[in-house]
Amino acid sequence: METTLRGVGVSHGVAIGEVRHMGTAVLEPPAKQIPAEEAEREQGRARQAVEAVAADLNARGHLAGGEAQAVLEAQAMIAQDPELMSDVDRRITVGSTAERAVYDAFSHYRELLAGAGEYMAGRVADLDDVRNRIVARLLGVPMPGVPDSDEPYVLIARDLAPADTALLDPALVLGFVTEEGGPTSHSAILARALGVPAVVALPGAGELAEGTVVAVDGSTGEIFVDPSAEKKEQLEAAAAERKAALAAATGPGATSDGHKVPLLANVGGPADVPAAVDAGAEGVGLFRTEFLFLDDSTKAPSEEKQVDAYRKVLEAFPEGRVVVRVLDAGADKPLDFLTPADEPNPALGVRGLRSLLDHPDVLRTQLTALAKAAEGLPVYLEVMAPMVADRADAKAFADACREAGLRAKFGAMVEIPSAALRARSILQEVEFLSLGTNDLAQYAFAADRQVGAVSRLQDPWQPALLDLVSLSAEAARAEGKSCGVCGEAASDPLLACVLTGLGVTSLSMGAASIPYVRATLGKYTLAQCERAASAARAADSAEEARTAAQAVLSGE
């Protein structure tokens, strides 16, 4: 009998297939004692396993490229964390086997994360994955992960570690469903990059029996269990109609009455550029530069290395707009040479621009590298700072850009509510704003973007978040400056129309979402988008806001 479940749709498309579950986690190793004379050998085993897992994660990242590479390289750094390894060595010295020492050391660190105000709780899935891989290697058992299958399937998991998501084969994995996660979790972001339909935050997903046929709608978040032939036909017809609409929509982003809304791509490095170009991106709205800094957590990359990487991206968009975010380190992206190791709550500490202002040499080198990379190119370079809180932050960043001789527009990201509330003040120092809706929601609602239990507060349709977007866009309009959105909110085609109605001047998203947004935006006039935006802001919940906007745009 057909039943319907609802989670959070995070990646467009429809997938129909049999359920396959993610491989089970590694069993807890037995707690047996070893003689003192075996300690050195066990410590060697532990180090070899750690290095092998780190190398494997780095290799997977190299194959995946782009955002996935940055995530996986960060996991490799977790595996090689010196404090964790010291704890492992200590436990072996007092009699633990290598596998038990690794298990216990990671468990202790896991408890520390869970106790850090829960901000870091979203990293527990990453930590568990690294632990399981090391223990599996030490035990000589298969790695936990994506099931082996010759036939296409829908993958079900409690959560997906980045190492698994990054290398999913879209030819086999039709779509995936997770019990945890949220619309801005690592799994969601990588799913959109892959173009795989995905639904997250679906309680009880793990109870779906192996082999059950399900239909996954990554746009609505609906899961149809044992769908009828009629339901399959409806979903397949809708998917075909959507595909035809995508193929028919070409050219620059605009409403049906010609109001231009440039559609830009979010990229993590040169590896993401081909997909952005193929999708018809009009430029880059968010160039995350962290990928360069994750290769070695002990020191910043050289100016020469940075120049080479930046130029590859800039050259791909001649006479296009490329917005570069300077290094956003801290919180879930710690770097040994830059971020404090003892912050009780890294998300509320020295992160983003704060880190760079504390280390002006790192910021100066990056800005100088960007200036050199843009020399002789017709590209419209714009550079923005992450985690700007007020006018003083904006001024400090603009001054640093001028001192580095950077010929570009200087901007500020709006990720902290104070920046939205005081946007007009900030715009006295910079030339544009870019809304990072992922972090803006996180800080507005005190809801970690990686924790599935608070995913409803991470929904970008939340009216309070739309209010903050509107405040920023109105301030930019009053100052005659631009205000774009580069957070995941821009990848929702319906929400893209609402954002346009709020006064946002450009939209940036993962390349796979651009055709969907282009096709949807082209159906409606600017006036319709403005009415939809007003209806959404008048609602009291995210679901009501979405329904109200849909009603306006469908003419109901």
Side-chain angles (χ1 to χ4, degrees), residues 403-423:
E403 289 170 10
L406 190 61
R407 294 183 177 180
K409 284 187 175 182
F410 317 140
M413 291 198 71
V414 178
E415 301 166 286
I416 303 173
S418 63
L421 294 168
R422 300 291 294 170

Side-chain angles (χ1 to χ4, degrees), residues 280-304:
E282 298 168 60
V284 172
L286 173 61
F287 178 8
R288 302 179 179 94
T289 57
E290 289 79 51
F291 81 103
L292 271 174
F293 291 78
L294 293 173
D295 286 341
D296 185 347
S297 69
T298 63
K299 66 179 186 298
S302 67
E303 181 182 301
E304 293 73 19

Side-chain angles (χ1 to χ4, degrees), residues 271-491:
D272 290 341
V273 167
V277 173
D278 290 346
E282 298 168 60
V284 172
L286 173 61
F287 178 8
R288 302 179 179 94
T289 57
E290 289 79 51
F291 81 103
L292 271 174
F293 291 78
L294 293 173
D295 286 341
D296 185 347
S297 69
T298 63
K299 66 179 186 298
S302 67
E303 181 182 301
E304 293 73 19
K305 183 176 180 180
Q306 292 188 55
V307 170
D308 180 61
Y310 301 151
R311 195 168 179 90
K312 287 177 182 175
V313 175
L314 297 178
E315 287 175 337
F317 295 95
E319 300 185 10
R321 179 186 179 199
V322 176
V323 184
V324 179
R325 180 179 71 190
V326 294
L327 176 63
D328 183 13
D332 61 329
K333 294 170 284 189
L335 293 171
D336 293 345
F337 68 90
L338 198 66
T339 48
D342 56 352
E343 290 185 301
N345 191 338
L348 302 180
V350 184
R351 176 189 169 188
L353 180 61
R354 299 167 186 175
S355 294
L356 293 174
L357 293 178
D358 280 352
H359 297 80
D361 53 324
V362 175
L363 177 58
R364 188 182 310 112
T365 299
Q366 184 170 24
L367 294 174
T368 302
L370 284 165
K372 291 183 177 180
E375 284 178 2
L377 296 180
V379 68
Y380 295 95
L381 176 63
E382 302 184 12
V383 183
M384 61 186 181
M387 301 298 291
V388 171
D390 56 16
R391 183 172 179 173
D393 279 351
K395 183 180 187 304
F397 178 66
D399 288 346
C401 289
R402 294 187 191 97
E403 289 170 10
L406 190 61
R407 294 183 177 180
K409 284 187 175 182
F410 317 140
M413 291 198 71
V414 178
E415 301 166 286
I416 303 173
S418 63
L421 294 168
R422 300 291 294 170
R424 197 159 183 180
S425 171
I426 287 171
L427 283 165
Q428 305 310 303
E429 304 293 344
V430 295
E431 297 172 83
F432 69 94
L433 300 177
S434 184
L435 287 143
T437 51
N438 307 355
D439 273 318
L440 187 57
Q442 174 168 255
Y443 291 119
F445 294 103
D448 186 348
R449 55 190 284 193
Q450 299 293 332
V451 177
V454 293
S455 63
R456 77 172 186 87
L457 296 172
Q458 269 292 334
D459 191 324
W461 280 94
Q462 284 284 354
L465 184 65
L466 299 181
D467 288 343
L468 293 172
V469 172
S470 181
L471 279 173
S472 304
E474 287 172 7
R477 186 187 302 115
E479 295 295 327
K481 297 180 178 180
S482 63
C483 176
V485 169
C486 64
E488 291 302 312
S491 66

Side-chain angles (χ1 to χ4, degrees), residues 503-525:
V504 167
T505 56
S506 65
L507 299 166
S508 189
M509 64 209 76
S513 298
I514 291 176
Y516 291 91
V517 173
R518 181 190 291 119
T520 304
L521 192 61
K523 293 179 182 179
Y524 307 108
T525 64

Side-chain angles (χ1 to χ4, degrees), residues 78-444:
I78 291 174
Q80 296 171 302
D81 183 272
E83 290 187 22
L84 267 173
M85 283 311 300
S86 293
D87 193 12
V88 170
D89 284 344
R90 181 186 63 78
R91 292 173 188 275
I92 292 174
T93 300
V94 296
S96 286
T97 61
E99 47 266 41
R100 186 70 208 191
V102 167
Y103 186 90
D104 288 341
F106 273 75
S107 296
H108 176 67
Y109 191 43
R110 191 183 201 278
E111 291 173 7
L112 293 177
L113 289 184
E118 292 215 13
Y119 173 79
M120 298 301 286
R123 300 296 165 268
V124 166
D126 292 2
L127 189 70
D128 287 350
D129 182 59
V130 173
R131 177 202 66 199
N132 290 346
R133 290 173 185 278
I134 297 171
V135 171
R137 185 169 288 275
L138 286 165
L139 291 174
V141 300
M143 294 285 180
V146 178
D148 290 327
S149 177
D150 295 328
E151 297 296 324
Y153 59 91
V154 173
L155 181 63
I156 307 291
R158 181 181 63 80
D159 201 355
L160 282 171
D164 297 316
T165 318
L167 295 184
L168 290 179
D169 181 356
L172 284 176
V173 181
L174 302 171
F176 65 75
V177 180
T178 65
E179 293 192 42
E180 299 183 359
T184 59
S185 64
H186 282 152
S187 293
I189 291 171
L190 294 176
R192 284 188 285 271
L194 286 167
V196 176
V199 172
V200 301
L202 179 69
E207 297 172 13
L208 291 168
E210 189 88 358
T212 302
V213 175
V214 296
V216 179
D217 190 328
S219 299
T220 66
E222 291 174 306
I223 309 295
F224 303 95
V225 183
D226 292 322
S228 65
E230 183 181 1
K231 174 60 72 176
K232 289 181 184 178
E233 287 178 9
Q234 288 175 355
L235 291 169
E236 287 168 349
E241 184 180 336
R242 213 174 286 160
K243 187 174 181 180
L246 296 181
T250 58
T255 58
S256 63
D257 56 341
H259 175 72
K260 293 183 179 179
V261 186
L263 303 181
L264 312 171
N266 294 344
V267 304
D272 290 341
V273 167
V277 173
D278 290 346
E282 298 168 60
V284 172
L286 173 61
F287 178 8
R288 302 179 179 94
T289 57
E290 289 79 51
F291 81 103
L292 271 174
F293 291 78
L294 293 173
D295 286 341
D296 185 347
S297 69
T298 63
K299 66 179 186 298
S302 67
E303 181 182 301
E304 293 73 19
K305 183 176 180 180
Q306 292 188 55
V307 170
D308 180 61
Y310 301 151
R311 195 168 179 90
K312 287 177 182 175
V313 175
L314 297 178
E315 287 175 337
F317 295 95
E319 300 185 10
R321 179 186 179 199
V322 176
V323 184
V324 179
R325 180 179 71 190
V326 294
L327 176 63
D328 183 13
D332 61 329
K333 294 170 284 189
L335 293 171
D336 293 345
F337 68 90
L338 198 66
T339 48
D342 56 352
E343 290 185 301
N345 191 338
L348 302 180
V350 184
R351 176 189 169 188
L353 180 61
R354 299 167 186 175
S355 294
L356 293 174
L357 293 178
D358 280 352
H359 297 80
D361 53 324
V362 175
L363 177 58
R364 188 182 310 112
T365 299
Q366 184 170 24
L367 294 174
T368 302
L370 284 165
K372 291 183 177 180
E375 284 178 2
L377 296 180
V379 68
Y380 295 95
L381 176 63
E382 302 184 12
V383 183
M384 61 186 181
M387 301 298 291
V388 171
D390 56 16
R391 183 172 179 173
D393 279 351
K395 183 180 187 304
F397 178 66
D399 288 346
C401 289
R402 294 187 191 97
E403 289 170 10
L406 190 61
R407 294 183 177 180
K409 284 187 175 182
F410 317 140
M413 291 198 71
V414 178
E415 301 166 286
I416 303 173
S418 63
L421 294 168
R422 300 291 294 170
R424 197 159 183 180
S425 171
I426 287 171
L427 283 165
Q428 305 310 303
E429 304 293 344
V430 295
E431 297 172 83
F432 69 94
L433 300 177
S434 184
L435 287 143
T437 51
N438 307 355
D439 273 318
L440 187 57
Q442 174 168 255
Y443 291 119

